[in-house]
Amino acid sequence: MRHTEFWARMDDALGDSYARSWADLYVISDLGGRTAAQALAAGVPPKEVWAAVWRVLELPATKR
């Protein structure tokens, strides 16, 4: 998964205006206590970050 696909999925799940803010502010334990944005900046693969976001948001399997 590329970063562009990750952000497209975030926009789909949370809306264009909220996705970036959420990714900057919400700390996810599965990402080592980092936000999604911090994890991506640290080099965590977008697919792994999305999997953590998907679990936290309790999205349907179709969004996996």
Side-chain angles (χ1 to χ4, degrees), residues 33-55:
R34 294 178 286 199
T35 66
Q38 289 170 333
L40 289 170
V44 178
K47 186 174 183 176
E48 189 176 322
V49 177
W50 175 251
V53 169
W54 178 83
R55 286 189 295 275

Side-chain angles (χ1 to χ4, degrees), residues 3-53:
H3 286 246
T4 53
E5 182 180 351
F6 171 83
W7 288 113
R9 289 181 182 205
M10 288 291 291
D11 289 346
D12 182 55
L14 296 170
D16 299 4
S17 58
Y18 187 55
R20 299 271 177 171
S21 295
W22 189 92
D24 285 338
L25 298 172
Y26 193 89
V27 175
I28 302 173
S29 61
D30 287 355
L31 297 174
R34 294 178 286 199
T35 66
Q38 289 170 333
L40 289 170
V44 178
K47 186 174 183 176
E48 189 176 322
V49 177
W50 175 251
V53 169

Side-chain angles (χ1 to χ4, degrees), residues 54 57-64:
W54 178 83
L57 294 177
E58 298 179 346
L59 296 171
T62 57
K63 301 281 186 179
R64 191 180 300 179

